Amino acid sequence: WFTSLVNIINICIELQKSRQEAQTERDYLQNLYKHMPLGYLRARILYDQQQNPVDLLFTDANLAAKKITGKSNFNGLRASSLGLDFSSNLLQLTTLSPNKDYLDDTHFVSRINKYFHFISYMTRPDEVIYLFSDITETFNTHQALDRSEKILRNIYINNFFYHFSYCFYRKNAQLMN
């Protein structure tokens, strides 16, 4: 009976260790969820009578999602009520295998005038996870660089042809030596 008592004590010690490890892991994941700079949204897909996806019902959001969007609460709200249109995204998502495939996309939300980069994946057939970041500043910077590049290209081309025609041709269109 003494060995049985020792086995019971060992089992209790192992149980205590595994509880501590599980708590450490929960704390780690909770801190990651709380402090990661990416927005995190969990949503349930809502279907119509014909089993076509029609809307999202948000069930969870982290602090970064609330900061990025300026929305204080997502829980229990539909995407359509927030002015978000995920209809094309929903059709693509429902074709993905849960926990295997993902979508990588960029959306413009006109209501708040921001561009977002989304990574979305299915965890179950009726649940989707969105990880996103605000890329408005980056998008605007790229547009400004593109405009500047076009202006400089026009200046260079016009300046080149002006000098080319001025240096090599006389007024009567004969080439100078």
Side-chain angles (χ1 to χ4, degrees), residues 128-139:
V128 62
I129 302 292
Y130 288 99
L131 299 173
F132 65 96
S133 60
D134 181 359
I135 60 165
T136 305
E137 190 174 319
T138 304
F139 189 83

Side-chain angles (χ1 to χ4, degrees), residues 24 28 142:
T24 302
Y28 170 77
H142 281 282

Side-chain angles (χ1 to χ4, degrees), residues 33-36 38-40 61-68 71:
Y33 172 78
K34 185 178 180 182
H35 298 292
M36 75 176 170
L38 291 175
Y40 166 88
N62 71 346
L63 185 60
K66 295 171 185 178
K67 281 183 183 177
I68 291 170
K71 188 77 181 151

Side-chain angles (χ1 to χ4, degrees), residues 35-81:
H35 298 292
M36 75 176 170
L38 291 175
Y40 166 88
L41 291 172
R42 178 186 292 170
R44 198 175 80 216
I45 299 176
L46 303 176
Y47 295 91
D48 63 11
Q49 305 328 20
Q50 292 77 30
Q51 294 303 310
N52 296 319
V54 292
D55 206 352
L56 293 170
L57 179 67
F58 294 111
T59 57
D60 194 16
N62 71 346
L63 185 60
K66 295 171 185 178
K67 281 183 183 177
I68 291 170
T69 62
K71 188 77 181 151
S72 62
N73 187 21
F74 282 94
N75 295 351
L77 297 177
R78 290 179 174 222
S80 58
S81 70

Side-chain angles (χ1 to χ4, degrees), residues 2-164:
F2 185 71
T3 55
S4 296
L5 183 61
V6 169
N7 284 339
I8 292 172
I9 292 172
N10 280 338
I11 290 172
C12 290
I13 291 171
E14 288 298 319
L15 182 61
Q16 182 64 26
K17 284 182 185 177
S18 64
R19 280 185 185 162
Q20 288 173 347
E21 289 173 4
Q23 184 60 42
T24 302
E25 189 68 21
R26 270 193 298 275
D27 291 343
Y28 170 77
L29 292 174
Q30 186 64 29
N31 282 330
L32 178 65
Y33 172 78
K34 185 178 180 182
H35 298 292
M36 75 176 170
L38 291 175
Y40 166 88
L41 291 172
R42 178 186 292 170
R44 198 175 80 216
I45 299 176
L46 303 176
Y47 295 91
D48 63 11
Q49 305 328 20
Q50 292 77 30
Q51 294 303 310
N52 296 319
V54 292
D55 206 352
L56 293 170
L57 179 67
F58 294 111
T59 57
D60 194 16
N62 71 346
L63 185 60
K66 295 171 185 178
K67 281 183 183 177
I68 291 170
T69 62
K71 188 77 181 151
S72 62
N73 187 21
F74 282 94
N75 295 351
L77 297 177
R78 290 179 174 222
S80 58
S81 70
L82 296 171
L84 303 173
D85 181 21
F86 286 103
S87 54
S88 63
N89 183 266
L90 284 174
L91 291 171
Q92 289 177 316
L93 276 172
T94 54
T95 64
L96 298 179
S97 303
N99 295 319
K100 291 184 182 176
D101 300 321
Y102 67 93
L103 291 178
D104 191 344
D105 203 2
T106 301
H107 291 284
F108 176 69
V109 180
S110 59
R111 184 180 55 80
I112 56 177
N113 201 31
K114 286 189 177 186
Y115 288 89
F116 294 102
H117 179 244
F118 279 92
I119 296 173
S120 47
Y121 61 95
M122 303 285 290
T123 55
R124 296 189 313 244
D126 67 335
E127 184 178 70
V128 62
I129 302 292
Y130 288 99
L131 299 173
F132 65 96
S133 60
D134 181 359
I135 60 165
T136 305
E137 190 174 319
T138 304
F139 189 83
N140 291 340
T141 302
H142 281 282
Q143 282 186 322
L145 285 172
D146 189 48
R147 280 192 303 272
S148 297
E149 179 186 356
K150 288 176 182 174
I151 291 169
L152 286 173
R153 187 179 302 129
N154 283 338
I155 291 171
Y156 176 75
I157 289 171
N158 289 337
N159 197 21
F160 173 77
F161 284 119
Y162 173 75
H163 284 296
F164 180 76

